[in-house]
Amino acid sequence: QVQLVESGGGLVQAGGSLRLSCAASGRTFGIYDEGWFRQAPGKEREFVAAISWGDSSTRYADSVKGRFTISGDNAKKTVYLQMNSLKPEDTAVYYCAASLRGFGTYAYWGQGTQVTVSS
């Protein structure tokens, strides 16, 4: 129903920036919320940021507030995650997820993109 493809990950030094992108295809007209999650080695997947397309409101984890910004194109349901002032603890695989009407919250996930922050 919905396919998500992330891009933009890579290796960056602490204090640097990266911009992740998530392109959606398929039944994108039914997407009402999209978010970014991350999973570090040996840790559980955690919420990073999300945007609700109804009112374009955004939400952030406390650990990234003031450093990360989520934005996107409502028509294309493409979302971006601008990550500034990166820290080694931001190292993780970052996943994009989408909520589609009738299919549950964050029922669709991308394959993930690796972000590595060196100290």
Side-chain angles (χ1 to χ4, degrees):
Q1 293 88 351
V2 172
Q3 297 78 42
L4 303 172
V5 179
E6 303 98 331
S7 60
L11 173 64
V12 64
Q13 289 188 331
S17 299
L18 280 176
R19 188 190 194 213
L20 305 183
S21 299
C22 175
S25 60
R27 294 180 57 179
T28 60
F29 59 87
I31 296 175
Y32 62 90
D33 191 287
E34 289 185 85
W36 288 96
F37 294 74
R38 66 186 182 186
Q39 187 167 20
K43 295 187 177 181
E44 293 187 352
R45 188 174 298 184
E46 64 176 0
F47 169 78
V48 176
I51 185 166
S52 295
W53 292 118
D55 58 3
S56 297
S57 60
T58 57
R59 312 182 300 278
Y60 296 93
D62 288 342
S63 59
V64 306
K65 280 181 182 177
R67 299 189 299 121
F68 291 11
T69 302
I70 188 170
S71 62
D73 182 329
N74 193 352
K76 298 180 180 179
K77 298 299 188 290
T78 297
V79 290
Y80 308 99
L81 186 67
Q82 178 66 43
M83 305 185 295
N84 299 329
S85 302
L86 282 161
K87 305 174 181 180
E89 51 263 44
D90 294 317
T91 295
V93 177
Y94 283 70
Y95 298 90
C96 175
S99 300
L100 182 68
R101 291 187 188 88
F103 291 86
T105 302
Y106 298 131
Y108 297 92
W109 293 79
Q111 82 288 350
T113 185
Q114 176 70 47
V115 171
T116 303
V117 184
S118 62
S119 58

